[in-house]
Amino acid sequence: MSSKKVFGVLLTEQAWNELGSALEPYTSTGSLGRYIYCEEVKTGGQYFVMVATCKNTDGSSFTAELAIHHHFVKMFISANEKTEIGFIK
């Protein structure tokens, strides 16, 4: 079992309405709708910060740090493995 956590973040409808196009490259869809899968979240400070990996159209990937206001976050779940987060396929 890994000591490093992974995160699934569900955002509010307001977040998707206001930020949807900017968040699209980092978005996945699961049993509860759209979410962002992250390797790290930072909950302290003015913004809720997510560290996520995105794939380019050419197959390469990069890691990005996304910062949004806390009121856009509906909930997040941390687990040891991606398969342990219930709403992630």
Side-chain angles (χ1 to χ4, degrees):
M1 182 164 66
S2 172
S3 62
K4 183 159 176 60
K5 298 284 188 181
V6 294
F7 302 86
V9 181
L10 292 173
L11 302 179
T12 64
E13 279 306 309
Q14 181 184 5
W16 294 118
N17 290 337
E18 292 184 29
L19 306 172
S21 60
L23 296 175
E24 191 62 35
Y26 312 98
T27 303
S28 299
T29 303
S31 61
L32 295 178
R34 294 179 287 182
Y35 67 90
I36 299 175
Y37 175 72
C38 308
E39 293 85 29
E40 182 181 351
V41 298
K42 301 171 190 170
T43 60
Q46 186 175 359
Y47 295 98
F48 182 90
V49 179
M50 301 170 279
V51 177
T53 300
C54 180
K55 289 204 181 286
N56 291 310
T57 54
D58 67 1
S60 64
S61 62
F62 64 94
T63 301
E65 190 172 276
L66 308 146
I68 62 173
H69 287 285
H70 288 275
H71 71 270
F72 286 138
V73 179
K74 189 182 292 186
M75 69 175 284
F76 72 93
I77 295 177
S78 67
N80 292 316
E81 297 178 22
K82 187 176 186 175
T83 57
E84 296 174 342
I85 300 174
F87 56 82
I88 293 180
K89 291 182 177 182

